Amino acid sequence: MSDNGCGFPAPGLHSFLFEPIATVGGFEFNKVMLLALVTTLLVVSFFWAAFGKAKVVPGKLQMVGEAGYDFVRRGIVYETLGKKEGEKYVPLMVSLFFFIWIMNIWSVIPLAQFPVSSIIAFPAVLAAIVWILWVSLTFKRHGFVGFFKNITGYDKSLGAVLPLVMVIEFFSNLLVRPFTHAVRLFANMFAGHLMLVMFTVASWYLLNSWMIPAAGVSFVMTMIMILFELFVQAVQAYVFVLLACSYIQGALAEHH
């Protein structure tokens, strides 16, 4: 019996907590970490198998790998950074895209049924990597003075409001930008998983009561949510990489 007295096991924050699978030297290894590790192995293994022995006439696996690689390279990186500037960042962006996408997809995979990105630590680390890259590229390309102007939006034509704009841009770029980059991915996966859990649990709960017709409706909603989540999972990977490319583009652009 749940705390609400009706017997319905309502999903909540406990749905995102897992008991450790193993503990080594005080370090707890749980299901989410296992899924993240498996995601890494899957992405590395797939591209290793696809391109490890690349052929002029590609096989099926190489064709799939090339299609995925070209989607990110041409559809995101080249469109944002251009071919000349963007080529060197393609491997990173391809890795980010497929790593995030697979982490998200675990939400609808039987037995796993949990999106790794719904734990804020994972999006935060990925956003931190992009932020560090953006800061280092800005400093390297423009020097200290140019770096300061870039992150503060310095534009003397703004006149009296320039100091206020500089303060806002400074905090926006150095603090708000990495935060929103991480939270956008986290929040969408968190909310999506919560909705899936709610409809799935509701279907089972209603099926074991006298409201069987309502269980059918809940089951249909579960299927709709799964299809919707598949779409959102890919979109969130796309948006994360697109924003990463736009930040790099801003670091490389000449300040006016």
Side-chain angles (χ1 to χ4, degrees):
M1 182 73 70
S2 65
D3 294 336
N4 57 22
C6 69
F8 177 68
L13 292 179
H14 62 274
S15 302
F16 297 84
L17 301 176
F18 297 92
E19 293 295 325
I21 299 173
T23 302
V24 180
F27 178 78
E28 296 183 347
F29 186 80
N30 60 22
K31 176 181 177 178
V32 183
M33 297 176 185
L34 176 61
L35 291 176
L37 178 60
V38 173
T39 299
T40 304
L41 294 175
L42 283 176
V43 173
V44 172
S45 299
F46 172 77
F47 282 104
W48 186 277
F51 299 117
K53 295 181 179 179
K55 300 177 181 178
V56 177
V57 180
K60 292 181 180 179
L61 189 61
Q62 185 179 332
M63 287 180 65
V64 174
E66 288 179 354
Y69 193 88
D70 272 352
F71 169 75
V72 177
R73 179 173 62 178
R74 299 182 184 277
I76 304 178
V77 180
Y78 284 4
E79 286 292 325
T80 308
L81 298 171
K83 184 176 181 179
K84 182 180 179 180
E85 290 279 17
E87 189 63 43
K88 67 179 70 174
Y89 304 105
V90 172
L92 172 63
M93 297 307 162
V94 170
S95 301
L96 282 175
F97 179 87
F98 285 98
F99 183 65
I100 293 170
W101 186 34
I102 300 301
M103 284 201 304
N104 294 345
I105 283 180
W106 288 119
S107 174
V108 297
I109 302 298
L111 299 181
Q113 296 173 310
F114 189 84
V116 179
S117 303
S118 65
I119 300 298
I120 187 62
F122 293 94
V125 169
L126 297 178
I129 291 172
V130 174
W131 182 84
I132 291 171
L133 177 61
W134 167 72
V135 169
S136 60
L137 283 175
T138 304
F139 191 84
K140 181 179 179 181
R141 176 62 67 95
H142 305 288
F144 180 79
V145 175
F147 171 78
F148 180 76
K149 289 182 177 180
N150 189 294
I151 66 172
T152 58
Y154 178 82
D155 184 351
K156 61 182 180 181
S157 66
L158 293 175
V161 299
L162 178 59
L164 177 61
V165 171
M166 291 178 67
V167 171
I168 293 174
E169 285 294 313
F170 178 83
F171 284 102
S172 175
N173 286 322
L174 289 185
L175 298 177
V176 178
R177 172 178 288 186
F179 176 77
T180 56
H181 198 192
V183 169
R184 182 180 287 103
L185 173 59
F186 156 74
N188 278 279
M189 291 301 99
F190 182 93
H193 181 65
L194 205 59
M195 292 294 290
L196 273 178
V197 171
M198 183 181 71
F199 282 114
T200 302
V201 172
S203 299
W204 180 255
Y205 174 76
L206 294 170
L207 189 62
N208 289 276
S209 69
W210 58 273
M211 294 185 292
I212 294 178
V217 175
S218 183
F219 178 76
V220 171
M221 286 300 301
T222 302
M223 295 297 103
I224 293 174
M225 281 300 302
I226 288 175
L227 293 175
F228 181 68
E229 275 300 291
L230 286 171
F231 172 73
V232 171
Q233 289 158 6
V235 167
Q236 287 306 311
Y238 179 89
V239 170
F240 190 94
V241 173
L242 180 64
L243 288 173
C245 288
S246 70
Y247 297 156
I248 293 174
Q249 191 276 334
L252 299 177
E254 293 296 327
H255 179 75
H256 297 287

